[in-house]
Amino acid sequence: MKTILITGGAGFIGSHVVRLFVSKYPDYKIVNLDMLTYAGNLANLKDIENKPNYEFVKGDIVDSDFILKLFEVKQFDGVIHLAAESHVDRSISNPTEFVYTNVIGTVNLLNAARHIWKNTKDKRFYHISTDEVYGSLGQEGMFTEETRYDPHSPYSASKASSDHFVRAYHDTFELPVVISNCSNNYGSFQFPEKLIPLFIHNIKNNKPLPVYGKGENVRDWLWVEDHAAAIDVIFHSGRLGETYNIGGFNEWKNIDLIRVICRVMDKKLGRTEGESEKLITFVKDRAGHDLRYAIDATKLKNELGWEPSLQFEEGIEKTIGWYLENEEWLKNVTSGDYQKYYEDQYIRR
Ligand code: NAD
Ligand code: DAU
């Protein structure tokens, strides 16, 4: 039986990865390490929490002593590292938190793996990263694995830094690592601070939809379960020391995507067509806002046979349906400090 550590497993993408691994690999013991920040929620894993091959550990990756002890006790065979501060807007208001979690937290995990694994080669440290490390594209072109790093936000700078540390531990200490850089994910269990769930939540509650700038920025959207499937393939078959880009080949200008969300919401809520669009409010642009991201995931397709499985039209219908059907989940995650945080955001803008 292999023991695999998944960090950040109570978050959006992490919960989908934990669910996939616990269900697909009954011979693996999956240890989910998560600090349960505002973005972590054990309700995301209700359906698998009693499975015999699943264990939850609450803890902070920034605490190096705790991390080393955990590695000593559990003797992990592999690590899939997702725990992070993940929201660009929060990194603009509080950059230091991103350095602690994303940089120091990652280095603590690398140190523990290096110390406990010594030179064993059949282990694997898999770091989950973002396409934002590559910076911004103009109207043409796509990010490949060879694109030079050029992060602009404190979030992407912290992720770029952690990627560099992971590669440095491979090159310097021969730690068996692999990295992937993925585009924007969407789907169930995403905290309603990110564009898609925030706008679904606001439309439902007749609140303004704050579109940054003119809404002309472009993102490449991927169904979160397709990301989890890519992580499965790369964890098992990706070549050590390599980087794989993951993307949806699915570019959308924000304003066009928002109009699709409004149309689907009108239909699902039984509102007259055009009603939700009236909530669109153009607000001050995000500082340092990257214009366009687009991922070329050809390497992953050619080497490991992965491709996105779900068409966007189906994915967005499913996603909106999920948030409308899971009112209790949405209510829970938007209670407490949530209102205050978003009211402050609107005031600041
Ligand atoms: P998320 O914010 O939903 O979840 C992050 C999780 O990490 C939460 O459960 C949180 O409690 C946990 N965490 C935060 N700080 C911690 C700490 N100090 N110790 C232990 N746990 C801690 O994030 P997400 O959107 O699921 O992203 C997961 C990973 O994927 C991140 O590394 C992110 O950079 C990367 N990524 C995200 C996207 C995206 O579109 N969301 C795209 C590409 C890459
Ligand atoms: O590209 C991968 C990245 O995608 C991940 O690494 C990040 O963790 C994830 O948060 C996401 O970053 P973005 O900044 O692209 O996602 P967000 O949902 O915050 O914003 C998407 C686009 O929508 C972006 O151009 C900003 C815009 N936006 C966002 C919000 C929250 C708005 O116009 N209004 C909003 O209220």
Side-chain angles (χ1 to χ4, degrees), residues 242-270:
E242 290 289 319
T243 292
Y244 295 89
N245 279 354
I246 311 173
F249 293 106
N250 177 43
E251 288 180 54
W252 284 84
K253 212 179 250 189
N254 289 342
I255 193 67
D256 296 336
L257 174 75
I258 290 160
R259 292 208 166 103
V260 171
I261 298 173
C262 288
R263 270 201 301 279
V264 177
M265 288 291 287
D266 279 345
K267 212 170 61 192
K268 288 201 188 280
L269 295 174

Side-chain angles (χ1 to χ4, degrees), residues 1 7 20 34 71 84 100 128-129 141 146 152 203 205 213 235 239 255-256 259 267 294 301 317 319:
M1 189 164 203
T7 71
L20 177 68
D34 199 296
F71 272 70
Y100 283 123
I128 307 301
S129 192
E146 275 71 50
H152 296 136
I203 292 171
N205 294 295
F235 180 68
R239 285 183 292 134
I255 193 67
D256 296 336
R259 292 208 166 103
K267 212 170 61 192
K301 181 178 175 204
E317 283 264 355
T319 301

Side-chain angles (χ1 to χ4, degrees), residues 281-346:
T281 312
F282 291 94
V283 297
K284 188 166 162 239
D285 207 354
R286 174 185 276 174
H289 199 172
D290 288 332
L291 177 68
R292 178 173 163 256
Y293 304 144
I295 276 279
D296 180 349
T298 309
K299 174 177 173 183
L300 182 56
K301 181 178 175 204
N302 290 348
E303 266 191 34
L304 304 178
W306 176 91
E307 277 184 280
S309 73
L310 199 69
Q311 289 298 312
F312 186 70
E313 289 66 21
E314 194 186 339
I316 198 74
E317 283 264 355
K318 269 175 111 155
T319 301
I320 292 173
W322 187 87
Y323 286 96
L324 294 180
E325 281 156 25
N326 286 274
E327 238 175 74
E328 203 51 35
W329 182 91
L330 207 51
K331 208 166 112 197
N332 284 339
V333 298
T334 55
S335 60
D337 288 344
Y338 180 88
Q339 287 305 335
K340 188 181 172 312
Y341 180 81
Y342 281 95
E343 274 154 25
D344 287 355
Q345 286 267 314
Y346 290 127

Side-chain angles (χ1 to χ4, degrees), residues 80-216:
I80 305 178
H81 173 39
L82 296 110
E85 286 295 335
S86 67
H87 191 39
V88 174
D89 293 331
R90 285 182 190 253
S91 83
I92 296 168
S93 35
N94 185 7
T96 312
E97 197 60 39
F98 285 67
V99 179
Y100 283 123
T101 300
N102 299 359
V103 185
I104 296 173
T106 301
V107 173
N108 286 342
L109 291 163
L110 290 166
N111 282 337
R114 180 183 165 223
H115 186 77
I116 301 297
W117 291 350
K118 307 263 179 326
N119 288 321
T120 333
K121 286 284 166 289
D122 61 346
K123 310 284 189 191
R124 179 161 289 227
F125 188 107
Y126 180 8
H127 178 59
I128 307 301
S129 192
T130 170
D131 60 359
E132 300 200 8
V133 298
Y134 297 126
S136 185
L137 292 164
Q139 301 299 341
E140 301 292 318
M142 293 178 116
F143 297 132
T144 72
E145 288 80 359
E146 275 71 50
T147 303
R148 200 172 66 87
Y149 274 34
D150 184 22
H152 296 136
S153 72
Y155 163 69
S156 53
S158 71
K159 291 298 288 189
S161 171
S162 60
D163 290 8
H164 289 319
F165 271 104
V166 173
R167 287 196 188 97
Y169 273 60
H170 174 263
D171 297 349
T172 311
F173 307 118
E174 294 180 38
L175 196 75
V177 308
V178 64
I179 299 178
S180 59
N181 296 80
C182 188
S183 64
N184 288 60
N185 285 214
Y186 71 98
S188 52
F189 299 114
Q190 186 170 31
F191 191 78
E193 63 182 352
K194 309 284 165 56
L195 180 74
I196 293 181
L198 175 69
F199 278 33
I200 297 170
H201 177 65
N202 285 9
I203 292 171
K204 202 174 139 222
N205 294 295
N206 274 310
K207 290 197 167 159
L209 306 176
V211 180
Y212 299 165
K214 293 183 179 148
E216 281 174 353

